[in-house]
Amino acid sequence: MSYCHTDRAEARRLHHKLETYRLPKRLRRASENPKRDGSLGQIFRDREDLSAAEDLTASVKQALASSRALIVLCTPPAKNSVWVEREITLYRELHPDRPILAALLYGEPDDSFPAALREGKEPLAADFRKQGDGPRLAFLKVVAGVAGVPLDALIQREAQRQIQSVMAVTGLVSMVTIAMAAMTTIAIQARNEAQFQRDEAEGLVDYLLSDLRDELKGVGRLDVMKDVNERAMKYYEVQNDLNDMPAESLDRRARILRAMGEDDLARNDLRTALSKFLEANRVTEALLAKDARNPDRVFAHAQSAFWIGAVYFGLRDKPKTQIYWNKYRELSIFLQKLEPNSVRSVREIGYAEENLCALALDEPMQPTRALVKCGLALSEMQKLNKLVPSDFQIQEDLANRYGWFADAWKANGNYQEALDYRQKQLALLTSQGKVDPSSFRVKELLMKAHYAAAETAYQACRIEQARQSEKIYQDIAGELVAHDPDNGTWKKFQLRHSVSNSKPRSCIND
């Protein structure tokens, strides 16, 4: 697997999925490289930082020589990586007839495909972006390319496998609950046993709260995870001493706790979610203490701080929200020092400033602080947009920042500036709507932005402009409700009263 080290987190996730994937039994004989257990074999992912090296390491060269396929993770940073170029070139020289699989993670193809990838035989491409193949289909394309099996057959077998999984969900959850109860007992009785036993137990927890959770999420049945989450929490509660636990166990534990907390938030169970995120924070703090300058550890601890702040924000506890979101910002700034101008660090600083922007706009408002924080959030997202141009998600985030900055100007009583930035938001969202006219997500964002623009134009005494935006948001709301009459958010916008049915007092004599 060839990738730019800026994208190491994405590479690690894909590497794990590929090495743990098992081909459906009926396709194993059809595979060009059959394994008895259906696995794809070992996937080599270079873990060294090559920035200071003069040439590819011996381990990389040996892996390229013995690999039957090359997977290239394509992103704008990868296109500019001299090491990715060298790995592709060397692999083509060694194996001109073996497949090269291009996995487009983000960015446009022209901005993300290394030049060496376009030379010679056209590579097999898997587009992981939402507007492309999507993560699931793109992953299956990579599997099909590595295993040498027909993609259509693989998709069909995967669909059958999912149906069987759904049919077994009810029974599986019962078995899971029993297994978690047994694991809790084992943990209490044998907390000082060998690391092998701990890995076995945590491996089971990891499966239950990652792979099983993804399957249940795919069929809209995350509700059945509640009992599993409660058992897992009891299993972790008896393990209070984190000092002797290896980093891998701590990292797995933090990821699982955050996933459990997000499940609780989806059910609007804020107090239960808070207990999960606080425990995850304790774990990521222990991880960071073991390796204080590890960017992945800093990033993980920052996520813990963000989620705790988010729960306190939902609970209307502004002082505690301020504490944890300030911590999130501090960790994001430290991440920027460790990874100067990386996509991840710039994005995190932008998110951190946006959180503080939202907090300043919450009651009681701090208009001046809101203007500063919302402006910083916008500035960071503009910087990220330059780093990764044409990325759909980043442009959506940028439009969102224009909206927050407009709200900040509005809070300061400057309705004209607010309207100017609201129009920038609308221009960007309208452009996205033309790229993907079937996206109901973009339609909803446009509806909300036009509603806000109508309010702001009304307060800026732009009555005709307010009425134009009002008509647009009402038309979009009607279209959305016609598509899904049960969507409460869309209905609420459709039923809202006119914001421009009378002039504001300051405009009467205009």
Side-chain angles (χ1 to χ4, degrees):
M1 182 182 294
S2 178
Y3 65 98
C4 176
H5 281 256
T6 302
D7 305 311
R8 64 173 68 87
E10 291 87 348
R12 184 172 60 249
R13 283 193 292 270
L14 181 56
H15 178 266
H16 174 74
K17 288 189 68 175
L18 288 169
E19 287 213 327
T20 56
Y21 181 81
R22 297 294 180 267
L23 283 169
K25 290 183 179 179
R26 294 186 183 181
L27 287 181
R28 292 177 188 179
R29 291 184 180 179
S31 173
E32 295 177 0
N33 306 283
K35 301 288 182 183
R36 181 173 297 179
D37 62 352
S39 66
L40 301 177
Q42 183 180 4
I43 309 293
F44 179 85
R45 174 174 63 88
D46 176 35
R47 292 174 171 81
E48 298 178 24
D49 189 348
L50 299 175
S51 59
E54 295 181 358
D55 197 3
L56 297 175
T57 62
S59 62
V60 172
K61 291 180 178 179
Q62 182 179 356
L64 288 169
S66 60
S67 293
R68 62 176 184 263
L70 176 66
I71 303 167
V72 182
L73 304 194
C74 298
T75 64
K79 180 180 180 179
N80 299 320
S81 170
V82 64
W83 303 113
V84 173
E85 286 276 345
R86 290 185 185 180
E87 288 171 355
I88 296 170
T89 301
L90 178 57
Y91 188 79
R92 273 230 170 93
E93 291 174 355
L94 294 171
H95 312 296
D97 297 326
R98 294 186 185 179
I100 295 180
L101 310 171
L104 180 59
L105 300 186
Y106 57 85
E108 295 301 317
D110 290 343
D111 302 322
S112 306
F113 278 36
L117 197 61
R118 297 182 178 274
E119 297 173 0
K121 187 177 179 181
E122 186 70 19
L124 299 173
D127 191 344
F128 281 76
R129 301 174 303 165
K130 289 182 180 180
Q131 67 269 36
D133 296 323
R136 185 60 181 167
L137 177 57
F139 175 73
L140 291 180
K141 280 188 175 182
V142 174
V143 170
V146 173
V149 298
L151 177 61
D152 290 346
L154 182 60
I155 292 173
Q156 182 180 3
R157 292 300 177 190
E158 279 295 313
Q160 293 174 353
R161 178 187 281 179
Q162 186 175 25
I163 291 172
Q164 292 170 353
S165 297
V166 173
M167 292 174 64
V169 161
T170 304
L172 182 57
V173 169
S174 298
M175 294 172 60
V176 164
T177 303
I178 295 172
M180 296 299 296
M183 286 163 46
T184 303
T185 303
I186 291 171
I188 293 172
Q189 295 175 347
R191 66 179 65 180
N192 295 320
E193 285 187 10
Q195 180 59 39
F196 173 78
Q197 293 179 337
R198 175 184 289 146
D199 287 343
E200 288 293 301
E202 291 186 353
L204 177 57
V205 176
D206 199 3
Y207 163 73
L208 297 176
L209 295 172
S210 56
D211 292 355
L212 175 61
R213 179 176 179 269
D214 288 342
E215 289 183 17
L216 293 172
K217 186 176 182 180
V219 296
R221 290 303 312 274
L222 272 179
D223 56 302
V224 300
M225 287 296 295
K226 185 174 182 180
D227 289 341
V228 180
N229 288 349
E230 289 176 356
R231 290 289 184 180
M233 197 63 186
K234 289 179 181 177
Y235 168 71
Y236 284 131
E237 283 173 350
V238 300
Q239 300 175 335
N240 291 320
D241 188 3
L242 305 179
N243 293 326
D244 296 330
M245 294 180 67
E248 184 178 346
S249 294
L250 290 172
D251 182 62
R252 181 191 296 124
R253 177 172 178 162
R255 285 188 289 106
I256 290 170
L257 285 163
R258 282 199 300 270
M260 290 162 59
E262 289 181 48
D263 289 347
D264 293 329
L265 278 183
R267 292 189 293 270
N268 202 33
D269 189 351
L270 297 180
R271 292 292 180 185
T272 305
L274 182 60
S275 67
K276 306 292 197 312
F277 293 136
L278 285 171
E279 177 61 17
N281 184 70
R282 188 171 76 97
V283 175
T284 53
E285 188 173 37
L287 267 173
L288 191 59
K290 293 185 175 186
D291 194 356
R293 298 188 64 81
N294 184 319
D296 291 336
R297 302 288 181 249
V298 175
F299 175 80
H301 197 40
Q303 303 314 297
S304 296
F306 162 74
W307 283 112
I308 295 172
V311 174
Y312 279 127
F313 188 70
L315 293 171
R316 314 300 299 166
D317 190 333
K318 198 166 183 177
K320 287 184 179 177
T321 304
Q322 184 84 50
I323 291 171
Y324 282 98
W325 278 356
N326 279 340
K327 182 66 175 177
Y328 175 42
R329 180 178 178 274
E330 291 171 8
L331 289 165
S332 300
I333 292 173
F334 185 43
L335 180 65
Q336 172 75 288
K337 292 180 180 178
L338 298 175
E339 293 181 346
N341 293 321
S342 71
V343 171
R344 179 169 68 169
S345 65
V346 175
R347 189 193 302 271
E348 290 305 302
I349 291 178
Y351 285 160
E353 297 293 1
E354 182 186 17
N355 292 337
L356 296 174
C357 156
L359 194 60
L361 287 171
D362 193 39
E363 296 294 340
M365 282 198 295
Q366 300 170 283
T368 303
R369 178 174 171 80
L371 199 60
V372 172
K373 291 300 177 183
C374 295
L376 288 172
L378 174 59
S379 175
E380 291 298 322
M381 194 51 61
Q382 288 172 326
K383 184 190 302 182
L384 185 59
N385 191 43
K386 290 181 180 179
L387 286 174
V388 191
S390 303
D391 184 278
F392 202 79
Q393 183 58 54
I394 290 175
Q395 288 190 353
E396 183 178 307
D397 287 342
L398 178 58
N400 177 272
R401 299 312 188 281
Y402 281 132
W404 279 111
F405 201 36
D407 286 340
W409 279 113
K410 182 178 174 182
N412 281 271
N414 192 328
Y415 298 114
Q416 187 54 56
E417 284 286 354
L419 190 57
D420 289 345
Y421 279 96
R422 189 65 68 182
Q423 291 302 319
K424 290 181 180 181
Q425 179 192 28
L426 286 170
L428 193 50
L429 289 173
T430 301
S431 176
Q432 282 192 303
K434 291 177 180 178
V435 173
D436 188 3
S438 62
S439 171
F440 285 93
R441 165 71 178 166
V442 175
K443 291 179 190 293
E444 179 179 333
L445 292 174
L446 270 168
M447 174 185 67
K448 293 177 177 178
H450 272 293
Y451 180 84
E455 282 192 322
T456 306
Y458 173 61
Q459 291 164 321
C461 299
R462 301 286 189 87
I463 306 303
E464 187 56 37
Q465 188 174 346
R467 288 171 180 158
Q468 290 174 0
S469 278
E470 183 175 61
K471 183 180 184 308
I472 295 173
Y473 94 72
Q474 287 176 340
D475 288 346
I476 298 175
E479 179 187 353
L480 293 175
V481 172
H483 175 74
D484 183 3
D486 295 327
N487 189 303
T489 300
W490 296 350
K491 269 188 173 180
K492 183 173 68 174
F493 273 87
Q494 186 187 41
L495 297 174
R496 282 184 173 177
H497 296 297
S498 170
V499 299
S500 59
N501 55 7
S502 63
K503 292 185 179 182
R505 184 177 302 171
S506 60
C507 300
I508 289 176
N509 296 320
D510 289 357

